[in-house]
Amino acid sequence: MLRKTGIVILVFLLSSSALIAQTANFELAERFNTEELSKMAGSTSLRPGWLENSDKFWYSFKTGDGTNFYLVDPGRKTKEPLFDRDYMASQLTIMTNKPYNALDLQVKNIKFFNNNTAFSFNVDSLRFEYDMNTQVVALVDTTDSSSGRRGWRNFAPDSSYVVFAKNHNLYLMKTNDSDSIEIQLTTDGENWYSFAADDDDTSKTKRKYANASWFRDSKKIYVRRQDRRNVGDLWVINSTAKGRPKLETYKYSMPGEKNIAQDELIIFDVESKKRVEVDAAKWKDQSIGGVYFYGGYIFTGKGSDKIYFMRRNRAWNKVDLCVSDTETGETKVLISEDCKPYINTRYATLKLINDGEELIWWSERDGWGHFYLYDSEGNLKNRITSGPFTVRSAVMIDTTGRTLYFEGYGKEEGVDPYYSMFYSVGFDGSGLKLLTPENATHTFRMSDSYSYFTDTYSRIDMEPISVVRDNEGRIVMELEKTDISKMVEAGWKMPETFTVKAADGVTDLYGVMWKPFDFDPEKKYPIVTYVYPGPQSEPVPKPFTITGSRGRNVSIAQLGCIVVAVGNRGGSPQRSKYYHNWGYGNARDYPLEDNKYALEQLAARHSFIDISRVGIYGHSGGGNMSTAAMLKYPDFYKVAVSSAGNHDNMIYNIWWGEVHYGVKEVEKKKKGKNKKSEGNSVQDEKETEIVFEAKIDNNWSLAKNLKGKLLLVHGDMDNNVHPANTTRVADALIKAGKRFDFMIMPGKRHGFGSYSRYFERMMWYYFAEHLLFDYRTNVEIYNHDK
């Protein structure tokens, strides 16, 4: 009897697997991978090159007819070829004895001159000039020495000097000096406390690019110098290097560590060679300029008599806007803010009006990001924007017309709050006007006269349209519409957008769904969720997207899956501060409940979703989240591909872990100084020091919970998210006796580089095997050498 029962159960299980098993459509996935879709679509946006002192601009755009270059005059409403492609290709061939494809000319770095009647450009490593009146093409045998970065040279705006570094010290050289006399400005530079951009450079005599910036009048230089000598070392090994494997050492501050980089701001006078140390000290382990956004939060006007900078404490919740006298180094605080739990460094900025007569400052002081107008002394004059929506960047400022042009989110009813919409408003807050009214996400690139701007608008389910508008938002010219006809002919279909609730039952979450192009509503499909937890962005593409990591969802769906990407509370600063800061102090778990609840709602809404087969994948933060999902909800998420995950944020970088997940400032007694002698008595010494403590949840501590199929992937040269993040998870899984898969990408950094295509196909096969139960072994994975 028991034997018969066992046979029945076995037959039932085999039958159930057979009913679920599907043949993965690898052919369809290959046909619609990101590389193939790019070939079929051409350009999906355009970037205008505005001509100096003109409302004209040029742009390039690729279609099925090749790449065209155009010159546009919005005032006359004309669009003409910038040059004849066939003629240009033939002239280049005559001068270089090399054939060129007229349909795909790689013309780069176009710069107009001679009152916009001629322009120079690069093809390959050569520089040419083209006269638009005579159609003469000439090969230029010397490079332009205008301002900007040229190898080790950092040119002054007026091209009078170059600044550079050598042996970690700062040097000047006159550009017209035939003897190339070096003028040494410093002698205290050293390894990890350097004036060079590469503060680990070991050469003694080579000229290097300096970590220095010019004031606009070319009279002074400023340096944000970091002392990283005491910061802990980290290492990766290049196992694929020729000969012996090569050790790479670098400095890397981690959350809660005692020794972190110490900032200083230094001014150098070009004429007198005078050095001025800016008086910026206030908090222990403070940062001058914050992180790498907006030029490091250091701002200069047209002159060089003063410099503005942001200063923040290590806990990221106190910020000062300061101005310093560049002759004396004396510093004055203009604006101070407490920003609990932390300041949004990605949006916070300063705009100087009329060289500092007024200041436009961004703040979330009322729970939404908005602009405020201050006078030169830091006194608030008025709010510029207000209301339950988020203002991001000030894209253009017309000081004469006292008009601010800015990007905003979530103001328009019925429009996805993540769509970029652009507005104009007076400095006094009056005359707020929507300039880009279409229900789509927009771009904004304006002429220096503030008369016109280009706008490419699209949605994930609408191909891009590029137009020229005037400063009132009226369409002046239609320029391009991305041609997707070849994609449609091949069988491509638009993805679908959706809205669900967060786990609190009230917050709207926005998502995108990709279906197989041979979709059958009567079938059952596994669901794969592409994830990234934020908090700086969510994984949901808003503009028309067919390339990059978010474009991969198209090909994964063609295997025979429903693929979705959906936001989560704490995922983005584009909404309210409350929404953005939701995950503070809860690094690992905050996005998981929302993602799970979203998938459950979709399954209840659509009968074709098989909620018993849930896959999940993500990279970096998404690698962390996908593994955490498998370990926190092991009965719900069945298969995960987790790549380059920061699974242990205590060994990820300090500015990520401490800002987003918290660091405590604690006053403690100094070690070894508990008591002191005074006269004949011994008294307690109350000498203390400030330390910073961090505690962030990790994935490896949950290893015992794994039930499903997990593929961990990491590049062994990843110097952003160190491979130890993944190997610690692997170690814990082994100790817990769990089966899992682990792939190292040899010699690869955080993004996997040239192995990305191999990784993508490996992911296809993993989902095919464990969600579709297609265990074929005769399907070749991508061959990198082909």
Side-chain angles (χ1 to χ4, degrees):
M1 183 68 180
L2 288 173
R3 213 169 146 177
K4 288 181 181 180
T5 302
I7 293 171
V8 170
I9 292 172
L10 179 60
V11 171
F12 173 77
L13 290 173
L14 291 173
S15 301
S16 299
S17 298
L19 286 172
I20 296 174
Q22 299 168 239
T23 301
N25 197 335
F26 295 117
E27 186 275 331
L28 208 58
E30 286 289 359
R31 190 192 309 171
F32 293 104
N33 66 48
T34 55
E35 294 88 356
E36 295 302 318
L37 286 174
S38 296
K39 295 176 187 176
M40 290 187 263
S43 296
T44 56
S45 65
L46 65 81
R47 177 178 288 274
W50 294 100
L51 277 57
E52 189 174 0
N53 300 318
S54 172
D55 286 327
K56 294 180 181 179
F57 64 90
W58 70 270
Y59 73 91
S60 64
F61 200 82
K62 186 175 183 179
T63 67
D65 297 325
T67 300
N68 286 287
F69 294 79
Y70 297 104
L71 181 65
V72 178
D73 185 342
R76 295 173 54 206
K77 299 183 180 180
T78 60
K79 183 179 85 169
E80 302 170 345
L82 184 60
F83 53 81
D84 182 285
R85 294 184 301 178
D86 293 320
Y87 173 76
M88 182 65 78
S90 67
Q91 292 299 300
L92 294 175
T93 297
I94 290 170
M95 284 182 284
T96 64
N97 296 317
K98 176 182 175 181
Y100 288 91
N101 181 4
L103 298 178
D104 190 27
L105 285 173
Q106 298 298 305
V107 173
K108 308 288 185 183
N109 301 323
I110 293 177
K111 292 184 178 180
F112 279 77
F113 59 96
N114 282 353
N115 294 320
N116 297 327
T117 63
F119 61 85
S120 59
F121 62 95
N122 287 359
V123 174
D124 297 328
S125 59
L126 301 175
R127 190 75 179 164
F128 299 87
E129 290 181 353
Y130 176 69
D131 189 303
M132 298 173 67
N133 293 327
T134 63
Q135 293 189 325
V136 171
V137 183
L139 175 62
V140 180
D141 56 3
T142 56
T143 58
D144 174 24
S145 64
S146 61
S147 63
R149 183 169 179 169
R150 301 286 187 274
W152 54 269
R153 300 174 179 87
N154 185 344
F155 285 92
D158 65 1
S159 298
S160 57
Y161 280 88
V162 293
V163 63
F164 62 95
K166 189 171 73 172
N167 194 21
H168 297 290
N169 280 298
L170 201 64
Y171 288 77
L172 282 173
M173 183 189 297
K174 291 184 177 179
T175 54
N176 59 359
D177 184 359
S178 58
D179 296 326
S180 300
I181 296 175
E182 297 177 344
I183 304 167
Q184 187 167 354
L185 297 178
T186 69
T187 57
D188 59 332
E190 61 177 281
N191 196 26
W192 303 122
Y193 189 33
S194 177
F195 290 94
D198 179 5
D199 60 359
D200 186 32
D201 179 53
T202 56
S203 65
K204 300 293 185 182
T205 59
K206 286 185 179 179
R207 293 169 178 166
K208 296 289 185 176
Y209 194 78
N211 181 31
S213 300
W214 287 93
F215 284 81
R216 291 183 215 176
D217 63 5
S218 300
K219 293 181 179 179
K220 292 180 182 179
I221 300 162
Y222 69 87
V223 177
R224 176 178 174 258
R225 187 187 186 196
Q226 285 196 317
D227 184 354
R228 302 202 297 160
R229 289 172 295 182
N230 294 324
V231 173
D233 291 339
L234 201 55
W235 307 268
V236 290
I237 298 175
N238 185 355
S239 301
T240 62
K242 290 184 179 180
R244 297 173 65 89
K246 185 178 179 181
L247 177 70
E248 180 180 298
T249 304
Y250 56 102
K251 296 290 185 178
Y252 198 91
S253 299
M254 296 178 183
E257 289 189 330
K258 180 178 181 179
N259 296 318
I260 69 170
Q262 302 296 314
D263 293 348
E264 56 189 50
L265 186 59
I266 310 171
I267 312 296
F268 295 91
D269 187 290
V270 173
E271 188 65 30
S272 68
K273 315 303 181 294
K274 178 183 176 182
R275 171 175 174 165
V276 176
E277 307 275 347
V278 171
D279 180 12
K282 182 176 182 179
W283 298 296
K284 179 180 171 61
D285 291 350
Q286 68 177 21
S287 176
I288 298 173
V291 286
Y292 51 76
F293 310 103
Y294 294 107
Y297 290 130
I298 298 174
F299 310 90
T300 60
K302 295 178 182 177
S304 56
D305 59 326
K306 53 191 173 184
I307 188 168
Y308 298 81
F309 62 92
M310 287 176 61
R311 169 178 66 193
R312 63 159 178 81
N313 66 344
R314 182 168 174 178
W316 296 72
N317 56 24
K318 295 181 184 296
V319 178
D320 288 342
L321 172 64
C322 304
V323 60
S324 292
D325 185 318
T326 60
E327 284 296 316
T328 65
E330 292 180 2
T331 297
K332 177 182 178 180
V333 177
L334 296 176
I335 303 171
S336 291
E337 290 210 23
D338 286 348
C339 312
K340 294 182 175 57
Y342 63 86
I343 183 174
N344 178 0
T345 52
R346 285 170 174 79
Y347 291 4
T349 189
L350 168 73
K351 296 294 181 182
L352 300 178
I353 307 302
N354 294 329
D355 218 26
E357 291 179 5
E358 292 178 302
L359 314 170
I360 294 179
W361 175 253
W362 186 95
S363 172
E364 286 182 309
R365 64 188 60 168
D366 71 350
W368 298 89
H370 284 293
F371 283 122
Y372 298 79
L373 184 67
Y374 287 80
D375 67 17
S376 61
E377 296 299 312
N379 300 306
L380 178 65
K381 296 180 73 173
N382 59 265
R383 291 185 65 135
I384 299 176
T385 59
S386 62
F389 68 98
T390 295
V391 169
R392 186 176 185 177
S393 53
V395 290
M396 287 293 278
I397 299 177
D398 178 1
T399 55
T400 303
R402 295 187 67 77
T403 301
L404 171 66
Y405 297 88
F406 68 89
E407 180 182 9
Y409 305 107
K411 186 179 186 304
E412 307 308 314
E413 188 142 357
V415 175
D416 187 318
Y418 296 88
Y419 287 171
S420 293
M421 310 295 280
F422 291 88
Y423 302 82
S424 61
V425 66
F427 284 5
D428 61 0
S430 66
L432 179 65
K433 183 177 181 59
L434 174 64
L435 303 176
T436 53
E438 293 83 2
N439 187 357
T441 191
H442 296 257
T443 64
F444 183 103
R445 296 183 175 94
M446 197 172 215
S447 65
D448 289 339
S449 71
Y450 312 107
S451 298
Y452 302 98
F453 66 93
T454 62
D455 173 19
T456 297
Y457 61 92
S458 70
R459 298 190 305 262
I460 190 64
D461 58 355
M462 184 185 83
E463 63 269 43
I465 298 172
S466 297
V467 299
V468 182
R469 300 180 188 269
D470 64 19
N471 58 17
E472 293 292 318
R474 293 180 292 253
I475 294 178
V476 176
M477 296 177 64
E478 295 184 357
L479 298 176
E480 305 287 351
K481 182 176 181 179
T482 298
D483 183 2
I484 62 170
S485 58
K486 289 183 180 178
M487 294 166 54
V488 174
E489 289 171 6
W492 181 87
K493 294 180 177 65
M494 289 281 190
E496 302 171 11
T497 60
F498 63 85
T499 305
V500 292
K501 292 295 183 183
D504 62 3
V506 295
T507 304
D508 284 334
L509 303 177
Y510 297 80
V512 176
M513 177 184 293
W514 293 264
K515 295 177 180 176
F517 296 151
D518 58 357
F519 175 73
D520 181 348
E522 301 302 318
K523 286 185 177 179
K524 285 278 193 179
Y525 295 89
I527 186 168
V528 175
T529 175
Y530 166 57
V531 297
Y532 188 84
Q536 84 283 20
S537 67
E538 294 178 355
V540 188
K542 297 302 174 181
F544 186 80
T545 305
I546 55 175
T547 59
S549 58
R550 295 176 178 182
R552 287 175 177 166
N553 297 317
V554 176
S555 55
I556 293 174
Q558 305 324 304
L559 299 173
C561 303
I562 301 298
V563 180
V564 299
V566 62
N568 53 262
R569 289 169 296 166
S572 171
Q574 292 167 278
R575 296 174 72 171
S576 69
K577 183 170 177 62
Y578 176 82
Y579 182 94
H580 180 213
N581 295 158
W582 172 255
Y584 186 78
N586 188 20
R588 183 189 61 206
D589 301 338
Y590 75 88
L592 302 180
E593 190 179 11
D594 281 354
N595 188 264
K596 178 176 179 288
Y597 188 52
L599 299 184
E600 290 169 338
Q601 291 171 78
L602 291 174
R605 191 179 297 175
H606 302 293
S607 60
F608 54 79
I609 293 177
D610 182 354
I611 200 63
S612 70
R613 291 183 287 161
V614 178
I616 184 171
Y617 85 98
H619 186 84
S620 192
N624 176 359
M625 180 176 170
S626 51
T627 293
M630 292 286 287
L631 302 177
K632 284 290 289 186
Y633 298 103
D635 294 316
F636 183 79
Y637 296 95
K638 303 299 173 59
V639 184
V641 178
S642 302
S643 52
N646 49 315
H647 301 285
D648 186 348
N649 279 296
M650 287 297 292
I651 60 168
Y652 191 35
N653 68 62
I654 188 173
W655 67 263
W656 182 267
E658 289 192 355
V659 63
H660 295 307
Y661 308 128
V663 60
K664 274 188 177 182
E665 182 177 315
V666 181
E667 188 173 355
K668 286 188 174 182
K669 285 186 178 181
K670 289 184 178 179
K671 290 183 178 179
K673 296 199 174 186
N674 294 325
K675 293 186 177 182
K676 66 179 180 179
S677 176
E678 188 171 312
N680 296 323
S681 62
V682 177
Q683 298 182 356
D684 289 335
E685 182 178 350
K686 295 182 179 179
E687 198 172 334
T688 61
E689 63 178 343
I690 299 295
V691 298
F692 295 89
E693 297 177 348
K695 184 178 180 181
I696 309 173
D697 291 334
N698 58 63
N699 281 338
W700 50 261
S701 61
L702 301 178
K704 66 181 184 300
N705 296 342
L706 181 66
K707 292 183 179 179
K709 302 294 183 179
L710 173 62
L711 170 60
L712 299 170
V713 187
H714 217 113
D716 65 358
M717 286 286 289
D718 190 340
N719 56 357
N720 175 10
V721 178
H722 193 272
N725 280 270
T726 294
T727 54
R728 289 186 180 192
V729 176
D731 179 60
L733 289 169
I734 292 169
K735 289 175 178 175
K738 300 295 182 178
R739 293 187 60 177
F740 66 101
D741 295 286
F742 188 16
M743 171 67 77
I744 286 290
M745 293 292 177
K748 295 306 171 189
R749 302 287 189 184
H750 192 56
F752 299 165
S754 60
Y755 286 3
S756 293
R757 295 178 71 184
Y758 183 95
F759 164 71
E760 181 178 7
R761 283 147 184 82
M762 181 173 62
M763 182 161 53
W764 293 355
Y765 295 117
Y766 204 75
F767 284 137
E769 288 179 358
H770 301 303
L771 289 178
L772 301 174
F773 309 109
D774 182 346
Y775 295 101
R776 284 177 292 166
T777 58
N778 61 344
V779 183
E780 183 181 358
I781 201 164
Y782 170 73
N783 188 338
H784 179 269
D785 294 326
K786 283 186 178 179

